Amino acid sequence: MSLSELKAAWLENYKTAPAQLEKMSEINGLISAFNANVDAVIKVSGKSIETLIADNNLDANIIVSEGEKAIRKNEDALRGFLHCFKSGIAEEWLIEEVEVFEWLNKNVGYDKMQMGGQGGIVANVMAVCGVKQVYVHCASAPKEQGQLFLDLPNLVTTNQKGDLQQAYTVDRSAENALIHWIIEFDKGDTITINGESYICPKANRFIATYDPLNFKLHVDQNFDSRMSKEDINPEYIILSGYQMLQENLVDGTKGTERIDLSKKMIAEWRKSCPNNLLHLEVASTQDKVIRKHLIDSLVESVDSLGFNERELIDILEVIGEEELAARCEEHTNSSNLFEGMLKIYEYTKCPRMQLHMFGLYVTLQQKGFKVSALQNRNGMQLAATVAAAKAGTGAIDTKDVLLWAKNHEVSAVGLNELKALSQTVKNHLGDNDLLSTGIFENKDLEVIAVPTILIEKPVTLVGMGDTISSVSLVGAL
Ligand code: GLC
């Protein structure tokens, strides 16, 4: 088939998106836990950062040096910024000292506040897609946090008294807002430090995070006990937020103990609805001890995993696949990444996993998994449509914008990746029509791959992965 014929075939496949979206209102309950926070977004220029350095007499030698990806001094925040700016990459570093947080607050500020954290972002998306009742966990929920939830009656959390209340109106006033700085920069901008100039090759962001509660996976006791009650019947539980944990926590306890504790809680929540689906969004987990414990211990109870290219490579690194990880890092394409997925599948035995990469989503699952291959494809097409609406309009706050991209064609980039994937699947598993149908099945496995709609100049990219993973799964009905 020619490129235009393929695009036409996929436009036809994508036609199910509106009907899939409608079906999401049949879902009775979904829990999104654990991390919601405030994202303080600021767009900076190289010049404004130069001024900040000069006005505060910061030590430029520290800023240009390489070192641990952690923020303990004011200079470290700018070191992280420069590290991302000069390579056009996205990273998130944790702020370990409250003084640095206060300094940033006073000297850097922000342009706008928006919903942050996988848990918060997923909750908003699920609620606007029409899921009947979305329960969102908040480690802290003062008014500044509550008001970042969409003003929708089907989106609830626990209030000060422990009762469920619409999240938008909740004000647990004794608690502090948890702030993550999203520092965005533009392609082509320059910055000069210590006489050396750096040009930014790609627009991206550096995230500096101060979040003492989510750092230790703090759980609101009220939420935990409410979710364990008989009347809460979650058909889906979407987990995230483990990525901020570290091996040794400041209070002397271990990060792995927090993972184990959460596993027990979730097992209680699942009792009232035994057929539920438990999904873990892996997210960028820097600490290797935590990463390994998640894979070795939490994943055994999980039905579905979500990750992007980087997160997939990170998993390979802790399951004894360093060589393949290096190959994926050097050539980040669908062929290498799919081989990575096969290894992760073999190692974890998790029945479903999904990769979202630039231009393509790939799901690998056990034959006969309760969500069929076709349902998966329909969910993934809806996810690509909603993600394109988010990228193109900047916000998916109302139901009418969700299908904004519905007649857009899939990208050539995605089709090329799909072509390469089809060849790799052929080498490993046999002949297939992935390129036009997106579905391959044999007696053990199902592979579902969907080329996505790409938006030329995206208004925003924060939270894209969270949106894709959750809509792909929950929209697969
Ligand atoms: C991380 C960041 C958070 C951001 C989210 C988007 O959790 O800490 O600030 O909103 O990623 O996925």
Side-chain angles (χ1 to χ4, degrees):
M1 270 200 231
S2 67
L3 186 66
S4 61
E5 282 167 332
L6 281 172
K7 285 192 172 180
W10 279 99
L11 199 58
E12 195 55 38
N13 291 343
Y14 264 74
K15 289 221 167 106
T16 56
Q20 293 304 121
L21 180 60
E22 278 317 305
K23 285 191 219 165
M24 286 182 74
S25 347
E26 291 164 18
I27 295 160
N28 292 313
L30 178 147
I31 298 179
S32 180
F34 288 90
N35 61 332
N37 62 263
V38 175
D39 274 353
V41 186
I42 180 162
K43 176 66 140 304
V44 298
S45 64
K47 273 270 158 292
S48 67
I49 299 294
E50 286 172 18
T51 313
L52 182 74
I53 295 172
D55 289 355
N56 290 273
N57 289 322
L58 298 181
D59 184 341
N61 289 323
I62 303 182
I63 298 173
V64 297
S65 66
E66 289 297 324
E68 239 188 295
K69 295 182 179 184
I71 305 177
R72 298 186 187 116
K73 297 191 182 116
N74 298 347
E75 279 86 352
D76 292 332
L78 297 178
R79 189 164 61 81
F81 164 77
L82 182 64
H83 176 78
C84 290
F85 181 94
K86 67 182 182 200
S87 304
I89 54 173
E91 283 192 11
E92 177 172 11
W93 292 14
L94 308 182
I95 303 172
E96 295 176 10
E97 303 297 330
V98 65
E99 291 77 19
V100 183
F101 164 77
E102 283 159 357
W103 180 79
L104 281 169
N105 224 351
K106 184 156 162 257
N107 296 284
V108 178
Y110 53 83
D111 300 330
K112 63 172 182 211
M113 288 202 174
Q114 66 187 35
M115 176 56 77
Q118 285 77 7
I121 293 168
V122 165
N124 271 351
V125 174
M126 293 294 105
V128 72
C129 283
V131 169
K132 277 195 192 122
Q133 196 71 289
V134 177
Y135 307 97
V136 60
H137 172 261
C138 298
S140 123
K143 199 162 159 197
E144 298 95 302
Q145 180 69 60
Q147 288 186 341
L148 298 178
F149 286 104
L150 296 177
D151 183 4
L152 293 169
N154 56 335
L155 176 51
V156 299
T157 189
T158 32
N159 63 18
Q160 228 138 4
K161 288 188 283 174
D163 299 326
L164 288 172
Q165 182 181 323
Q166 187 182 334
Y168 178 75
T169 65
V170 164
D171 178 13
R172 297 183 343 218
S173 54
E175 300 171 351
N176 291 321
L178 307 166
I179 313 261
H180 299 201
W181 264 278
I182 315 284
I183 307 175
E184 300 178 325
F185 43 83
D186 278 334
K187 178 179 172 169
D189 193 9
T190 60
I191 187 167
T192 306
I193 305 177
N194 251 4
E196 188 162 351
S197 294
Y198 307 86
I199 302 177
C200 172
K202 183 173 184 277
N204 225 320
R205 60 180 185 270
F206 170 62
I207 307 186
T209 290
Y210 180 73
D211 191 340
L213 293 183
N214 284 315
F215 278 9
K216 56 178 182 188
L217 202 84
H218 168 83
V219 177
D220 171 36
Q221 284 316 313
N222 285 332
F223 187 84
D224 176 33
S225 56
R226 194 68 190 83
M227 289 306 109
S228 311
K229 299 256 159 64
E230 275 294 302
D231 63 326
I232 308 291
N233 308 123
E235 290 160 50
Y236 297 86
I237 301 177
I238 301 194
L239 300 177
S240 57
Y242 293 94
Q243 76 274 9
M244 280 171 275
L245 284 171
Q246 288 187 324
E247 180 183 5
N248 298 304
L249 303 177
V250 262
D251 61 5
T253 59
K254 297 277 178 203
T256 50
E257 290 165 12
R258 303 296 305 163
I259 298 175
D260 296 343
L261 197 72
S262 79
K263 204 173 153 185
K264 287 199 192 110
M265 284 179 195
I266 296 156
E268 286 300 315
W269 303 351
R270 299 182 83 176
K271 280 187 181 156
S272 60
C273 196
N275 272 329
N276 61 44
L277 267 173
L278 181 63
H279 174 90
L280 170 67
E281 194 57 22
V282 174
S284 177
T285 312
Q286 301 290 336
D287 189 300
K288 285 195 178 169
V289 172
I290 297 299
R291 205 191 298 158
K292 180 134 181 57
H293 196 73
L294 283 176
I295 297 300
D296 287 349
S297 163
L298 186 65
V299 170
E300 67 179 21
S301 58
V302 161
D303 304 301
S304 168
L305 277 181
F307 41 71
N308 65 18
E309 306 89 315
R310 180 67 252 164
E311 294 150 13
L312 180 155
I313 297 171
D314 288 347
I315 299 174
L316 292 176
E317 275 173 14
V318 297
I319 61 168
E321 294 290 342
E322 291 85 352
E323 228 169 275
L324 181 55
R327 183 145 53 85
C328 288
E329 177 118 42
E330 201 180 337
H331 299 287
T332 312
N333 55 42
S334 60
S335 297
N336 287 333
L337 294 168
F338 181 71
E339 288 183 4
M341 288 179 84
L342 288 173
K343 293 289 180 198
I344 297 173
Y345 183 79
E346 215 174 273
Y347 183 93
T348 60
K349 309 209 166 50
C350 183
R352 177 188 185 272
M353 57 192 62
Q354 186 178 75
L355 163 72
H356 42 91
M357 64 179 286
F358 190 64
L360 188 73
Y361 308 156
V362 185
T363 301
L364 172 66
Q365 66 175 21
Q366 204 172 56
K367 173 83 183 171
F369 185 69
K370 55 185 156 185
V371 182
S372 74
L374 183 62
Q375 285 173 322
N376 267 291
R377 189 185 79 187
N378 287 335
M380 289 154 81
Q381 290 167 171
L382 175 62
T385 308
V386 171
K390 184 174 165 88
T393 68
I396 41 173
D397 292 353
T398 51
K399 203 158 183 183
D400 54 297
V401 301
L402 294 172
L403 297 171
W404 173 86
K406 92 170 184 272
N407 294 317
H408 289 220
E409 285 185 334
V410 301
S411 67
V413 179
L415 285 168
N416 280 333
E417 289 290 350
L418 181 55
K419 197 165 170 194
L421 176 74
S422 162
Q423 189 56 47
T424 307
V425 170
K426 184 173 173 188
N427 299 344
H428 285 271
L429 306 168
D431 281 330
N432 63 78
D433 299 323
L434 276 174
L435 195 52
S436 58
T437 67
I439 295 179
F440 166 85
E441 300 180 44
N442 68 15
K443 66 178 199 343
D444 307 310
L445 292 175
E446 294 173 347
V447 180
I448 307 100
V450 167
T452 74
I453 300 163
L454 289 180
I455 299 296
E456 224 3 74
K457 288 212 169 79
V459 184
T460 172
L461 288 174
V462 183
M464 208 48 103
D466 320 332
T467 304
I468 295 164
S469 286
S470 58
V471 178
S472 289
L473 180 68
V474 183
L477 292 152

